[in-house]
Amino acid sequence: MEKYFIEEKHTNSLNQPFLMHRIRKPLLPLYLHIPFCSKKCDYCDFNSIVSEADIIDRYINALEKELNAFAERYACDTVYVGGGTPTILNENQIKTLLHSIRRCPENADAPEYTVEANPGTLTRGKVRLLKECGVNRISVGVQSFQDRYLNFLGRIHTSAVAVQSIELIISEGFKNVNIDLIFGYPGQTLDEWIRDLRMAVELQPEHISTYALTYEGETPLAKKAVNGAISKLDEEIELKMYKTAIRFLHENNYCHYEISNFARLGYECVHNINYWNNKRYIGIGAGACSFLDGERTMNERNVLQYIKAIEDNTEVKVFRESLPQRKYASETIVMALRMLRGISGTEFYDRFGYKIEDQFGTQMKDLQCLGLVNYDDKRLKLTEKGLFVADSVMSEFL
């Protein structure tokens, strides 16, 4: 069911000096992309660059202009500022950006307002500024609490700095903190992974995300693997690490609610759940994607070309795709299967006007026979066995 924000506007005229208009704006999740980093990590395939302060200032002005266009038609119920490294901005740049967001209807009181942060780029002044500007959730890209693996990734921080950053965030009153961790480094042992999990839990964040190391595209890490400079960790060991994370975090009262995500009760990431439900959203910034009324779009990825398009009032969208209903339904199943609760038959019918079985009956039957999915309670979801081969299961619905 769509949510709306009712905005009241007053206009003046000679005959009616206090005419009030009530404007009904759809409430949508809002993502803003900050593509800047102090250095590019070896494994990173995200749209990010190392850049100078003057380009950052121009970029923030362009973001504000695109954000104002968004605010004319929509309001937002969650905000997520990602990157790149949003906290590479200086305090004046952060203030300008966050004040622009707060001027949009509903943004000042978004129930979930996340900013990604990297250790090594945080100061007490920045953390306090985030708090003052309404941010209520911080996601910290720790990746590992062991310097050996931080050096391997090309991160700028040490384990000690990571711990200090999280303690700083908590000391300034943030009560919704996520820690990102990566496992599956070449040569990593199960004991080393448990050490990372234990350190994360000791810091008592409300949310923990765990990701297997991936070798993407033309990244330096992928090239090292191809030319034999490094050897990928054995898949069986990687699977044991994943299973260990599930067990260990469950024992420490973190609910496993999505393939890679664990949270204390009530601290699941609402913004990301919208993506996994394949619902509408708005993305602002270089390379940001939006999904509205069955159409998926993407902004220009190149930062300077994005800035120029915004400054010149020319088209910033470089990709548009209208999804046929059956493809939209297929993608919805795939995304929903990322969540352990899956998707109910009733919800699917309400959204698409037919039963899940009508389009996916054959796949469901075959996967049930293999013990990979469950539909006994009229909710399609992965079994524990299916969870460990999730990518293969999901591909059956595409």
Side-chain angles (χ1 to χ4, degrees):
M1 183 177 180
E2 284 193 357
K3 297 175 287 184
Y4 291 90
F5 171 74
I6 306 299
E7 183 179 14
E8 295 183 352
K9 285 193 175 182
H10 297 79
T11 58
N12 293 323
S13 67
L14 291 176
N15 297 325
Q16 293 178 301
F18 300 109
L19 184 64
M20 183 177 73
H21 296 279
R22 294 175 66 83
I23 303 172
R24 194 167 179 251
K25 295 183 176 181
L27 274 169
L28 298 173
L30 173 66
Y31 174 81
L32 291 96
H33 189 65
I34 306 299
F36 306 108
C37 290
S38 56
K39 70 183 292 280
K40 189 82 170 177
C41 296
D42 287 354
Y43 68 100
C44 181
D45 193 39
F46 295 130
N47 186 32
S48 60
I49 61 170
V50 178
S51 194
E52 300 296 330
D54 60 331
I55 296 179
I56 295 177
D57 288 335
R58 285 181 63 199
Y59 183 80
I60 291 173
N61 290 335
L63 273 185
E64 183 176 15
K65 191 171 180 181
E66 191 181 5
L67 190 60
N68 288 338
F70 158 83
E72 290 177 3
R73 298 180 59 191
Y74 306 102
C76 65
D77 51 1
T78 63
V79 182
Y80 196 108
V81 183
T85 308
T87 48
I88 197 177
L89 306 185
N90 64 39
E91 290 186 28
N92 286 333
Q93 292 164 341
I94 290 174
K95 185 181 295 185
T96 300
L97 172 65
L98 299 187
H99 282 186
S100 297
I101 297 172
R102 284 177 70 87
R103 284 196 291 270
C104 290
E106 277 291 281
N107 291 7
D109 299 307
E112 186 182 270
Y113 187 167
T114 304
V115 170
E116 291 183 346
N118 278 357
T121 64
L122 283 174
T123 63
R124 189 170 296 275
K126 288 182 182 180
V127 174
R128 287 181 176 174
L129 185 57
L130 294 174
K131 184 79 171 173
E132 291 168 4
C133 290
V135 176
N136 55 31
R137 184 176 186 270
I138 297 186
S139 180
V140 188
V142 173
Q143 316 312 4
S144 177
F145 288 103
Q146 297 170 64
D147 291 342
R148 169 187 173 187
Y149 296 118
L150 293 173
N151 291 333
F152 173 81
L153 294 176
R155 305 292 283 177
I156 65 169
H157 67 273
T158 63
S159 173
V161 169
V163 172
Q164 291 165 9
S165 296
I166 295 164
E167 290 176 341
L168 170 62
I169 291 166
I170 294 172
S171 73
E172 289 297 325
F174 281 92
K175 301 184 185 303
N176 194 352
V177 178
N178 170 62
I179 291 176
D180 279 349
L181 294 175
I182 290 176
F183 64 92
Y185 302 100
Q188 186 181 25
T189 67
L190 189 58
D191 285 344
E192 287 177 319
W193 174 230
I194 292 172
R195 197 182 312 160
D196 271 355
L197 291 169
R198 184 174 292 115
M199 176 59 75
V201 168
E202 286 177 0
L203 290 166
Q204 300 183 35
E206 287 70 30
H207 193 285
I208 297 175
S209 300
T210 65
Y211 302 101
L213 181 65
T214 56
Y215 298 76
E216 302 288 350
E218 295 298 311
T219 61
L221 184 64
K223 291 177 181 178
K224 289 177 183 178
V226 169
N227 65 30
I230 58 174
S231 298
K232 296 180 182 180
L233 191 68
D234 182 81
E235 290 184 359
E236 286 300 315
I237 298 176
E238 193 174 282
L239 180 58
K240 286 181 181 178
M241 290 180 172
Y242 180 49
K243 291 180 177 180
T244 296
I246 294 171
R247 175 186 54 77
F248 183 85
L249 293 174
H250 173 75
E251 290 172 353
N252 285 277
N253 299 315
Y254 288 89
C255 173
H256 187 199
Y257 73 100
E258 191 270 344
I259 287 176
S260 302
N261 288 275
F262 305 80
R264 302 282 195 196
L265 186 62
Y267 288 95
E268 299 84 357
C269 183
V270 177
H271 184 89
N272 286 341
I273 286 173
N274 183 82
Y275 293 144
W276 300 322
N277 282 325
N278 211 21
K279 300 288 184 69
R280 305 192 307 168
Y281 54 87
I282 291 281
I284 287 176
C289 296
S290 299
F291 182 51
L292 286 171
D293 304 321
E295 182 182 54
R296 185 181 290 124
T297 61
M298 185 178 74
N299 285 353
E300 169 62 56
R301 286 176 58 88
N302 181 280
V303 173
L304 290 176
Q305 291 180 26
Y306 165 83
I307 292 172
K308 189 174 189 308
I310 295 292
E311 290 176 343
D312 295 346
N313 295 313
T314 56
E315 179 60 69
V316 74
K317 304 291 185 186
V318 294
F319 172 82
R320 294 182 182 273
E321 178 187 24
S322 294
L323 292 181
Q325 187 189 49
R326 292 182 73 82
K327 183 177 180 181
Y328 181 30
S330 180
E331 290 188 3
T332 298
I333 292 293
V334 169
M335 296 300 289
L337 285 175
R338 292 194 60 87
M339 296 181 290
L340 269 69
R341 66 180 179 85
I343 185 170
S344 74
T346 300
E347 179 186 350
F348 184 91
Y349 184 87
D350 290 343
R351 290 179 67 176
F352 298 103
Y354 57 88
K355 297 178 181 179
I356 297 179
E357 303 94 304
D358 293 343
Q359 184 172 345
F360 304 106
T362 300
Q363 297 97 312
M364 289 167 61
K365 183 178 180 181
D366 292 345
L367 291 168
Q368 280 182 294
C369 288
L370 294 171
L372 300 176
V373 301
N374 192 321
Y375 194 57
D376 293 343
D377 57 356
K378 299 303 178 184
R379 178 174 285 278
L380 181 63
K381 56 189 176 184
L382 296 174
T383 62
E384 182 180 26
K385 181 180 176 182
L387 180 66
F388 302 133
V389 289
D391 288 346
S392 296
V393 174
M394 292 172 187
S395 67
E396 295 298 316
F397 293 93
L398 291 175

